[in-house]
Amino acid sequence: GLGFNIVGGTDQQYISNDSSIYVSRIKKDGAAYLDGRLQEGDKILAVNGRDLKDLRHKDAVELFRNAGYDVSLKIQRRLQPQNGPVSHRGDGESGGLPLAAILVPVLALAVAAVWIVLRYRQRM
């Protein structure tokens, strides 16, 4: 396979009033992941020159399955995050700092400050 999953279509709209096809998940170590250009949330406009507009989901899936070895995708990069079932790779490339990257150092500083205060009080 091409190493990614899609959502959308005329019968399974991912975004209300939009029957476009979107990348929902990129499979780790799959062709799309190794290539690195496709991103989760990208809108796929065409496959090998074939427009994906107004296709049912299963017809779009069939186009991808029969795309061949050399596949050309025309995509539109997602500008802003959408609410919905788009997942993240889970490899730390979510586009921002994870909450843990902020909370862990702050928590460590707080624990160190409490420890210093307690040690200082014991010596008095």
Side-chain angles (χ1 to χ4, degrees), residues 4-9 14-26 37-47 50-54 60 64 72-80 82 86:
F4 62 92
N5 294 352
I6 59 170
V7 292
Y14 169 66
I15 297 175
S16 193
N17 298 318
D18 181 359
S19 61
S20 300
I21 303 296
Y22 292 87
V23 176
S24 63
R25 180 173 164 254
I26 295 179
R37 291 180 282 182
L38 195 64
Q39 296 179 9
E40 292 172 356
D42 285 350
K43 181 191 288 190
I44 304 176
L45 305 174
V47 179
R50 170 83 197 276
D51 191 3
L52 296 183
K53 188 174 182 177
D54 297 325
F64 285 105
S72 173
L73 299 178
K74 181 177 180 183
I75 64 148
Q76 180 180 344
R77 188 77 65 214
R78 182 174 70 180
L79 299 177
Q80 294 179 345
Q82 301 283 341
V86 173

Side-chain angles (χ1 to χ4, degrees), residues 52-73:
L52 296 183
K53 188 174 182 177
D54 297 325
L55 285 181
R56 292 179 301 173
H57 180 81
K58 71 176 190 170
D59 296 329
V61 168
E62 199 60 32
L63 272 178
F64 285 105
R65 284 191 176 140
N66 296 318
Y69 184 75
D70 291 319
V71 179
S72 173
L73 299 178

